[in-house]
Amino acid sequence: MLLLLLSVYLPGSAVALDLTPNEQAGKRLYREGLPSADAQLTARVGASDIRVPASVLPCASCHGTDGRGRPEGSVRPPSLDWQRLAQGPGPRQANSRSYPAYDERTLARAIAQGVDPAGNRLDPAMPRFELTLADQRNLTAYLKRLGQERDPGVEDDVLRLGTLLPASGPLAEAGQVVRTVLEDGLAQLNQQGGIHGRRLQLVVADPGADLASAERALQRLLDVDQVFSLVAPLAPMLDPQLPALLERHGVPLIGSAPGSGGSSQIFDPLPGIASQMQSLANHARNALGLGPDGLRVVYAGNDQALLAEQVREQLRQGGWAVPVSEAFNGQAVAGQGIVFLGHAQAFAELAAALQAEGREPYLMAASSQVASAVAGLPAQWSRRVLLAYPFVPSDWTEHGRAALAAVQRRQGLEPRHAALQVKTLCALRLLGEALKQIGRDASREQLVAALEGLHGVETGLTPALGFGPGRRQGMAGAHVVAVTLPGPRFTAVAPYQPLPLNP
């Protein structure tokens, strides 16, 4: 339903220019490889003229939606900015070749035959397209406007960011904390002059209580409010839809969407649950002496089934002989160590079921899922409960502590929400670093590339964060903390160690 709604209201990425019908058709051809007529357009690739649908290799796939070119390996697509291509008389230089300026006729020849105005052969990686006269004119018309086009949310003096935060219901308090931290952080940046002369504006939409209202709220953010990117949203009912939506419309998200299954557009500052479970399993092997068949994966709730299987597969790749993940329905699960995925109440019920059967395995879980249940566990579970924490107070530098305390003081925030505050501050820090790198002529595509290029970002509150091509979580792994009961008291027993990308 969400994608259907957005396909009606969002024509790809919303435009800042008022394009003519011909320019709109040229934009569709440039970005999607779709001609104006119903017939399929093909591209010829390489010396052997292999034919593939143009939609597989649209111009934007190499030259970028902004036309500036995206170097990849030895291939360096040139900028398609028309002012540069058609820049007066005299020789031009690109990829070590000299050529005169392009005009409409020589541009058409370059697209069809792969030669520049001087007759030099273009890079063999460039596809050749046999366009109709109408499509060639449409494409040229759009290329003449391409350098003037801006992505949604980018204005002369404002850059708009969006988020989804509940104003009522069980997540309302968390939503208010996130909103307060975001507004405070952007206010601090704006007091320093913004980023590249633009003031950062936050647009907040309430996702409401169900999927339908969340779909409408997101639609407004993208279609009406025209936000540039999303930051730190809190709308778990939307998580499964987000990957397809964000990738289709090229909208980056900096923050957590734990139920999304991952997306090239989602950059999560902190590790996912599966990565945290891997650190717990490593501790079970190295410090607790559990053998390869000592772990069981248990989940509570259908929404955790896919994640449970993902965790099981990662453990299996790490050398564990883990049977099929098991749904918890009140039973006392067998095993020396139980890797639990689900909510706090079910975790407490699992502990009670095991206690009733006289079993005391190690119980391992992510602190973000079950921490609220720990205080109510009986003393027999002391040091048998192991929790994964992406960061602990020992990660905090003097500067990081001061920055967090300053936000809490300015906004009257309670320290009991420190984990949520830190998570939001990390998202803001990564977004700010990436925006500074891409310069004033910002695009969503550039933002994604800049985020991919962030490495070793020191937040003062977490281990160093960073991403990369194919890597969309700022950390891989977690601290392991043992719980002493009664109390509870928490003791770090294994420090954070970055996990390899492929276990």
Side-chain angles (χ1 to χ4, degrees), residues 286-411:
N286 300 332
L288 305 180
L290 268 63
D293 61 350
L295 291 183
R296 299 291 183 272
V297 176
V298 178
Y299 65 94
N302 292 334
D303 59 326
Q304 300 291 311
L306 186 61
L307 176 59
E309 200 52 34
Q310 179 187 351
V311 169
R312 174 182 172 268
E313 177 59 22
Q314 288 195 7
L315 293 178
R316 191 190 63 78
Q317 292 179 22
W320 293 92
V322 187
V324 175
S325 53
E326 185 175 342
F328 175 67
N329 294 304
Q331 75 276 26
V333 179
Q336 295 175 277
I338 297 175
V339 176
F340 176 83
L341 302 158
H343 52 86
Q345 181 179 344
F347 185 73
E349 291 171 359
L350 172 61
L354 290 165
Q355 182 182 12
E357 292 290 328
R359 298 179 186 173
E360 296 181 0
Y362 290 101
L363 299 180
M364 291 171 269
S367 60
S368 59
Q369 290 193 322
V370 306
S372 62
V374 168
L377 296 179
Q380 78 170 71
W381 293 108
S382 185
R383 308 290 291 190
R384 308 294 290 182
V385 173
L386 299 166
L387 302 181
Y389 281 82
F391 55 87
V392 295
S394 60
D395 291 323
W396 297 0
T397 65
E398 183 178 349
H399 175 75
R401 288 178 186 274
L404 178 60
V407 176
Q408 293 171 339
R409 183 175 61 253
R410 283 194 299 268
Q411 302 299 331

Side-chain angles (χ1 to χ4, degrees), residues 8 12 17 23 65 89 167 200-201 224 232 241 292 310 336 364 388 450 462:
V8 173
L17 292 177
E23 291 165 349
T65 55
L200 301 178
Q201 177 186 6
V224 179
Q241 269 88 347
Q310 179 187 351
Q336 295 175 277
M364 291 171 269
T462 66

Side-chain angles (χ1 to χ4, degrees), residues 230 241-253 263 265-266:
L230 300 179
Q241 269 88 347
L242 280 174
L245 169 68
L246 298 177
E247 288 167 21
R248 175 173 179 175
H249 298 284
V251 181
L253 186 160
S263 164
Q265 298 294 124
I266 299 175

